[in-house]
Amino acid sequence: MIRPVLPGSTIGVLGSGQLGRMFAIAARRLGYRVHTYSPEYDTPTGQVADVEVTASYDDLDRVREFARRVDVVTFEFENVPFETAAAAAELAPVRPGGEVLSVCQNRVREKAFLRSNGFPVAEYRVARSSGELSASWHELGGLAVAKRAGFSYDGKGQARISSAEEIDEAWRSIGAQEAVLERFIPFDHEISVIVGRGVDGSIADFGILRNAHERHILDYTVCDPEHPLRAKATGMAHEIVEALGLVGVLCVEFFVEPSGGLLVNELAPRPHNSGHLTVDACVTSQFEQQLRAVCGLPLGSTRPLRPAAMANLLGDLWAEGEPDWPAACAVPEAKLHLYGKSEPRPGRKMGHITALADSAGEALARALEARGKLRVES
Ligand code: AMP
């Protein structure tokens, strides 16, 4: 049996954004210490961690020194190079493991993993040159989306192609590098399922989260316990986390087709923006679940305490000056979360609001109302 990493121990987090921050807050609540490692200073995670190490992911000596001082390593950012995770693994368990990271940080490997294990994905081709992109587009026929294989998220490194004339520009815009071209899916809506998997193989999911995007960035999420595809989508997420052998938390994003079909869009081997509402709405948050899983503790109950919805706060909200925080805080059962970022750039995730209510619909109305009140009149 693997011995659990008990409270009082130190967790190392690779990456230093808001996911690491909320993980560190959960870890501290249970009496753990947290060290964070990234190339940046004064980061969302570093502000609440015990130790913030600022060094390049390629500096493997610093990575080993970091891993030597912690009891287990996890990450909040899957684009940490594979070599970094491997260097850390020489000195401490890394959970989820480097192989999971390697599958999920590259769209070509991720799609191949999904397809070879029989999970449904949008039809796609792999392209390594603009010529291959062109051939792929003609094979798929019609509207398609090119996505860079690595470092592509929130619509970055992606381009829609609707005619042959757009292919060269699309290839340039995604950085002229290995990509997948997938058929555009005229989905009805998007959902995600977040699952935790423990060292002992136990699995728990947080049910269906229904997501709306703006400019390819998550705009809001609402819990949907009555979703007709609940059993099918959660079942598939359990099978995926098992097939990956992941220890930690995994988010599976799906497209729901108008016919009721389900397609897996993307995997994230860590807590996810769509699960932020679990902090205020569930017995165990997705961050505490990650902590329990990577420490070898029993998984916590994912039972929702109350219907909830979450609205993201992007840097655009600062366009007319500091948002009106007191106005948002005045909305009943609205909970404000800010990530400690000093520069509110457009499209940058600065925080979120979770609202609770008697029904999911009311919770969403409250979250959107609270966010609307933040805008100061010019
Ligand atoms: P991704 O980074 O792959 O999750 O893409 C971000 C968002 O872009 C998705 O959540 C969808 O809203 C949209 N999108 C991505 N791929 C497709 C597709 N093949 N068809 C339609 N919309 C897509």
Side-chain angles (χ1 to χ4, degrees):
M1 204 185 99
I2 298 173
R3 285 225 327 258
V5 176
L6 295 173
S9 308
T10 304
I11 322 281
V13 180
L14 297 172
S16 61
Q18 60 270 17
L19 301 176
R21 179 186 182 90
M22 290 182 267
F23 172 82
I25 291 169
R28 280 179 154 238
R29 223 166 48 129
L30 270 85
Y32 288 89
R33 292 179 176 276
V34 178
H35 294 191
T36 173
Y37 187 108
S38 82
E40 278 121 45
Y41 287 103
D42 189 29
T43 58
T45 311
Q47 289 166 10
V48 299
D50 295 86
V51 173
E52 178 178 50
V53 176
T54 302
S56 157
Y57 290 123
D58 300 325
D59 186 343
L60 300 185
D61 288 335
R62 292 294 297 277
V63 171
R64 290 190 188 95
E65 188 187 319
F66 173 78
R68 193 171 290 122
R69 297 180 60 200
V70 303
D71 298 290
V72 60
V73 173
T74 188
F75 46 83
E76 64 103 51
F77 168 65
E78 67 270 30
N79 286 313
V80 170
F82 178 76
E83 295 72 28
T84 308
E90 292 168 17
L91 294 140
V94 176
R95 296 180 184 142
E99 323 71 56
V100 171
L101 198 70
S102 155
V103 169
C104 297
Q105 69 188 190
N106 179 290
R107 287 185 190 268
V108 174
R109 289 195 286 270
E110 184 174 291
K111 292 256 193 252
F113 161 81
L114 289 166
R115 200 160 61 175
S116 65
N117 282 281
F119 299 108
V121 294
E123 195 183 353
Y124 75 97
R125 299 284 184 278
V126 177
R128 295 189 176 84
S129 65
S130 77
E132 284 186 16
L133 190 64
S134 174
S136 300
W137 185 78
H138 284 96
E139 270 174 51
L140 289 181
L143 192 53
V145 186
K147 302 179 178 181
R148 194 160 65 203
F151 280 95
S152 143
Y153 59 96
D154 287 349
K156 293 189 183 83
Q158 300 187 12
R160 270 191 205 189
I161 306 177
S162 57
S163 68
E165 291 71 52
E166 291 169 4
I167 292 171
D168 284 344
E169 175 50 29
W171 178 248
R172 263 194 302 278
S173 80
I174 61 168
Q177 49 184 283
E178 187 184 41
V180 296
L181 181 74
E182 62 186 46
R183 191 185 288 290
F184 180 84
I185 304 298
F187 54 77
D188 184 72
H189 61 280
E190 294 179 86
I191 58 173
S192 53
V193 175
I194 295 174
V195 276
R197 182 169 177 274
V199 167
D200 62 356
S202 56
I203 299 175
D205 68 76
F206 288 90
I208 302 292
L209 301 159
R210 195 187 262 253
N211 303 317
H213 292 81
E214 280 284 337
R215 295 176 290 154
H216 300 281
I217 304 174
L218 185 65
D219 183 35
Y220 64 78
T221 296
V222 59
C223 62
D224 192 351
E226 313 296 336
H227 197 285
L229 296 176
R230 182 181 177 129
K232 192 169 171 194
T234 56
M236 219 186 280
H238 286 224
E239 287 170 23
I240 292 172
V241 79
E242 241 348 302
L244 281 170
L246 176 145
V247 172
V249 163
L250 174 77
C251 176
V252 184
E253 292 182 74
F254 296 93
F255 296 134
V256 179
E257 296 181 288
S259 60
L262 266 184
L263 296 172
V264 177
N265 172 33
E266 223 188 350
L267 307 178
R270 47 157 173 84
H272 189 259
N273 195 167
S274 59
H276 289 357
L277 55 74
T278 61
V279 172
D280 298 301
C282 297
V283 174
T284 308
S285 73
Q286 60 168 351
F287 301 102
E288 183 180 331
Q289 200 72 303
Q290 179 187 15
L291 175 79
R292 285 171 174 249
V294 304
C295 288
L297 296 174
L299 295 184
S301 162
T302 54
R303 188 169 66 81
L305 298 166
R306 194 131 162 77
M310 184 264 351
N312 263 340
L313 307 180
L314 302 184
D316 312 61
L317 274 171
W318 275 249
E320 307 296 335
E322 189 71 12
D324 188 349
W325 304 122
C329 290
V331 174
E333 295 190 62
K335 308 279 286 181
L336 177 64
H337 297 251
L338 290 169
Y339 307 148
K341 298 181 184 178
S342 51
E343 243 186 278
R345 292 191 295 273
R348 191 175 193 205
K349 291 174 180 169
M350 302 296 288
H352 66 269
I353 290 175
T354 298
L356 309 174
D358 292 335
S359 70
E362 272 174 75
L364 178 59
R366 275 184 175 166
L368 298 180
E369 180 196 349
R371 182 170 69 179
K373 292 199 172 203
L374 288 175
R375 280 205 185 274
V376 287
E377 300 301 326
S378 53

